[in-house]
Amino acid sequence: MLLPLEIQNKIFSKSLSGYDRSEVDEFLDQVYSDYEALHKENFTLREKVSHLEEGMDTYKNMEHTMQEALVVAQKTAEDVKQAAQEKAEIIVDRATQKSREIIDNANEELSKIRLEYEQIQKEIEIFKTKTVASLSAVLTELQKEEN
């Protein structure tokens, strides 16, 4: 690629039937000026592209880091969910066991109360029987005394 300075310093050999020197110099000055502007613009654009590529690399690194963080967050969420599930199962198991113990104790207490009730019913029947027998004996005695 030609440099602007090479265009500016270009010297052509002279010939008898050649072009008008001032026209050629004027045209070369114009070409030099345009070429220099394009060369500067090209340089500036290359710097911008380089800067943008660096920025893009930074964003790619950030994206990669964010993806890794997201994976870690998802794994952590799954771990927390699993731990909570296990803890909930333990709590339910303990509550079930405790409720069974309470029901078993209540059933035992109910059985004891029923036995006591039956015992009291028997004692009442015995008391009734003895009382009726005693009253009958007293009544018989009273009737004997009246006669």
Side-chain angles (χ1 to χ4, degrees), residues 107-141:
N107 285 333
E108 284 180 32
E109 190 66 28
L110 180 62
S111 294
K112 288 179 185 177
I113 291 171
R114 282 185 179 155
L115 285 174
E116 286 178 23
Y117 176 75
E118 289 172 5
Q119 185 65 34
I120 291 171
Q121 288 289 4
K122 286 179 185 176
E123 289 176 8
I124 289 173
E125 285 300 317
I126 292 171
F127 178 74
K128 281 182 185 178
T129 304
K130 285 182 181 179
T131 303
V132 167
S134 292
L135 287 175
S136 187
V138 169
L139 189 59
T140 304
E141 276 302 311

Side-chain angles (χ1 to χ4, degrees), residues 3-20:
L3 295 176
L5 207 53
E6 291 175 327
I7 293 173
Q8 185 179 28
N9 293 333
K10 177 67 175 164
I11 298 175
F12 294 95
S13 53
K14 295 180 187 176
S15 71
L16 289 174
S17 63
Y19 294 103
D20 182 355

Side-chain angles (χ1 to χ4, degrees), residues 45-58:
L45 291 174
R46 285 178 192 255
E47 284 182 343
K48 283 183 181 180
V49 166
S50 175
H51 179 68
L52 291 174
E53 285 175 345
E54 288 174 9
M56 194 167 69
D57 288 344
T58 301

Side-chain angles (χ1 to χ4, degrees), residues 16-114:
L16 289 174
S17 63
Y19 294 103
D20 182 355
R21 184 175 181 162
S22 64
E23 258 184 62
V24 171
D25 286 344
E26 187 179 309
F27 180 75
L28 283 176
D29 287 343
Q30 185 180 358
V31 168
Y32 164 76
S33 177
D34 290 347
Y35 191 79
E36 183 178 39
L38 288 173
H39 188 66
K40 285 180 183 178
E41 182 180 0
N42 188 18
F43 180 78
T44 303
L45 291 174
R46 285 178 192 255
E47 284 182 343
K48 283 183 181 180
V49 166
S50 175
H51 179 68
L52 291 174
E53 285 175 345
E54 288 174 9
M56 194 167 69
D57 288 344
T58 301
Y59 286 119
K60 282 182 181 178
N61 288 337
M62 286 173 62
E63 178 185 20
H64 180 70
T65 302
M66 290 174 136
Q67 286 175 343
E68 287 177 348
L70 181 60
V71 168
V72 169
Q74 288 172 337
K75 175 74 170 114
T76 301
E78 286 296 321
D79 291 347
V80 167
K81 182 180 175 183
Q82 181 66 29
Q85 183 70 29
E86 289 171 3
K87 190 171 183 178
E89 288 173 5
I90 290 170
I91 290 170
V92 168
D93 288 346
R94 286 181 183 167
T96 302
Q97 183 180 4
K98 186 69 174 171
S99 68
R100 283 185 188 141
E101 288 175 8
I102 290 170
I103 290 170
D104 289 346
N105 290 340
N107 285 333
E108 284 180 32
E109 190 66 28
L110 180 62
S111 294
K112 288 179 185 177
I113 291 171
R114 282 185 179 155

